[in-house]
Amino acid sequence: MGGPDGMQGRVAVQGLVKRFGPVNAVDHVSLEVSSGEFLALLGPSGSGKTTILMAIAGFEYPDEGRILIGGEEVTWAPPNRRNLGMVFQRYTLFPHMSVLENIAFPLKMRGVGRAEREERARAALATVRLGQMGGRKPAQLSGGQQQRVAIARAIVYRPRVLLMDEPLSALDKNLREEMQIEIKHLQREIGITVIFVTHDQTEALTMADRVAVLDHGRLQQLGAPRELYEAPETVFVAGFVGETNFCEGRLARPAARGEAVMVALDGGGTMPAIAAQALPAGGRIKVALRPERLRVLPADGEGGTARVTEAIYAGNATTLMLEGQGGQRLRARVPAGAGLHEPRPGEAVRLSWQPADARAFPA
Ligand SMILES: Nc1ncnc2c1ncn2[C@@H]1O[C@H](COP(=O)(O)OP(=O)(O)OP(=O)(O)O)[C@@H](O)[C@H]1O
Ligand SMILES: [Mg+2]
């Protein structure tokens, strides 16, 4: 377990490849997690999230690449030599043991004496705020409480890294949101590295310091939640993280990444945008624009550029469904109470946006 204390919880995945027959479950993924950092692995079903976690845990061995924990290579080390905690989607508590016995179990396996086991299990139980429930059986707890026991059991032997695979997906929405905040607090409190798998983008954005977005086993983008949302680097990330409008068209001239461009839209009209990647001339372009970044203004004397087809009131905001002059379908979000124009269905409107909020990708 060499290396100074500040590196104990560092995890590095280098050029990881894992194939299952013809499927590239993980396709040359490299990423680094700092000690004490909270990283979310986000992606649709089958994108390779669990496989990456299993390779870090030592339950899958890679076809190519290396895994380092605390600066030490563990690619071929068995799981019990890696000092990691794991929490899975479904409750994996032993039904015949009490809550305290469940939590003390990993300590027993490690040969810790009875008195110390009990003391540490009680402390871990208090950390997840279930201090009074040590005598109960798992079946006598709610789903959220059972997941907290699973977390207590995963941290009781003070691992350097905690791996979690969709630990909240079996819980209902309110409990899930409560547990998201609790896990985040707990992680800060004990200063542990967390790698957290989810396919829920809101969960990833709210909980993580950084998010790794995966698609078909490939790392699409790794960045802070704000970077992913504000500056997606691929069409996939733009569409998967948050809600977005896509407008299609072509570009007359090639453009370098970051350059201001004018996209000729398929249905007619032009759209100022920023090149999110290098863009070839004449190629098909997709422009991504968030609904809340689209400003809807009253049509002035020159006539409207879009028509409202539907207005959906949702309390805090109204979603407008729009049809552009070229037939493009867009949605805009108008926050309530800001004194903004709230047009009615059928009304002609003028649309405005900051070119930097419209990101152009090769289609
Ligand atoms: N043991 C296995 N044998 C064969 N194929 C597998 C195996 N495990 C995973 N795969 C395949 O590898 C790919 C990635 O699977 P993985 O479980 O890592 O995805 P995931 O992102 O965790 O998906 P989900 O959100 O559904 O849990 C999928 O195509 C899956 O079918
Ligand atoms: Mg999975």
Side-chain angles (χ1 to χ4, degrees), residues 35-38 120 122-131 148 151-152 155 158-160 162 178-194 207 209:
S35 215
E37 189 178 23
F38 194 122
R120 283 170 63 179
R122 282 190 194 287
L125 198 57
T127 307
V128 296
R129 303 197 298 118
L130 287 178
R148 281 191 242 165
I151 294 168
I155 61 174
R158 298 172 193 141
R160 41 191 176 170
L162 182 59
E178 200 178 294
M179 289 284 294
Q180 287 169 358
I181 295 166
E182 269 186 37
I183 291 174
K184 188 72 205 161
H185 286 169
L186 176 71
Q187 183 249 345
R188 289 212 185 111
E189 205 177 295
I190 63 177
I192 195 171
T193 306
V194 172
M207 295 184 82
D209 297 315

Side-chain angles (χ1 to χ4, degrees), residues 20 23 25 43-51 60 166 199:
F20 293 109
V23 177
S45 186
S47 57
K49 307 179 295 292
T50 296
T51 308
E60 294 280 8
E166 311 240 11
H199 61 259

Side-chain angles (χ1 to χ4, degrees), residues 11-324:
V11 178
V13 173
Q14 300 176 344
L16 184 67
V17 174
K18 181 69 186 179
R19 300 182 197 95
F20 293 109
V23 177
N24 283 329
V26 182
D27 196 356
H28 296 93
V29 167
S30 296
L31 50 89
E32 282 200 21
V33 194
S34 310
S35 215
E37 189 178 23
F38 194 122
L39 179 86
L41 299 180
L42 173 69
S45 186
S47 57
K49 307 179 295 292
T50 296
T51 308
I52 293 174
L53 211 66
M54 289 296 139
I56 295 171
F59 294 112
E60 294 280 8
Y61 293 122
D63 291 309
E64 289 175 36
R66 305 201 308 159
I67 308 283
L68 287 83
I69 300 175
E72 187 194 346
E73 178 163 9
V74 296
T75 316
W76 307 105
N80 61 1
R81 298 285 311 279
R82 300 187 186 204
N83 192 24
L84 306 168
M86 285 214 69
V87 179
F88 298 95
Q89 174 175 8
R90 285 181 211 297
Y91 323 123
T92 47
L93 303 176
F94 301 113
H96 59 285
M97 290 185 192
S98 72
V99 162
L100 264 182
E101 285 165 347
N102 262 284
I103 299 172
F105 186 75
L107 297 175
K108 196 172 177 181
M109 297 299 287
R110 285 166 169 78
V112 176
R114 175 181 287 271
E116 190 187 340
R117 278 203 312 260
E118 203 169 306
E119 192 191 317
R120 283 170 63 179
R122 282 190 194 287
L125 198 57
T127 307
V128 296
R129 303 197 298 118
L130 287 178
Q132 303 310 308
M133 306 205 174
R136 293 200 193 175
K137 293 278 166 59
Q140 296 169 308
L141 300 177
S142 73
Q145 290 166 338
Q146 290 184 42
Q147 274 312 58
R148 281 191 242 165
V149 174
I151 294 168
R153 191 178 58 181
I155 61 174
V156 72
Y157 51 91
R158 298 172 193 141
R160 41 191 176 170
V161 180
L162 182 59
L163 306 177
M164 303 177 106
D165 194 352
E166 311 240 11
L168 307 180
S169 60
L171 308 179
D172 68 43
K173 187 171 176 287
N174 287 340
L175 186 53
R176 198 163 71 222
E177 287 173 359
E178 200 178 294
M179 289 284 294
Q180 287 169 358
I181 295 166
E182 269 186 37
I183 291 174
K184 188 72 205 161
H185 286 169
L186 176 71
Q187 183 249 345
R188 289 212 185 111
E189 205 177 295
I190 63 177
I192 195 171
T193 306
V194 172
I195 305 179
F196 188 103
V197 164
T198 180
H199 61 259
D200 177 341
Q201 45 112 354
T202 309
E203 186 162 281
L205 295 184
T206 21
M207 295 184 82
D209 297 315
R210 288 188 307 152
V211 181
V213 183
L214 295 151
D215 185 38
H216 289 99
R218 295 216 185 97
L219 181 61
Q220 294 275 320
Q221 191 170 350
L222 176 59
R226 191 178 290 273
E227 282 167 35
L228 292 184
Y229 190 85
E230 302 280 339
E233 283 170 5
T234 67
V235 175
F236 178 80
V237 175
F240 191 74
V241 178
E243 203 185 333
T244 207
N245 292 296
F246 282 113
C247 300
E248 301 199 18
R250 278 177 196 283
L251 211 57
R253 293 184 299 107
R257 185 181 157 161
E259 199 180 317
V261 295
M262 195 58 86
V263 179
L265 294 177
D266 284 350
T270 54
M271 182 169 189
I274 290 287
Q277 297 176 8
L279 302 172
R284 297 202 53 74
I285 301 292
K286 263 192 178 181
V287 182
L289 179 56
R290 304 277 184 205
E292 76 278 10
R293 301 293 164 87
L294 202 49
R295 277 194 298 281
V296 180
L297 306 166
D300 50 27
E302 294 152 34
T305 55
R307 183 169 297 279
V308 178
T309 57
E310 214 176 321
I312 302 154
Y313 176 76
N316 60 348
T318 298
T319 298
L320 299 174
M321 311 299 255
L322 304 156
E323 194 177 319

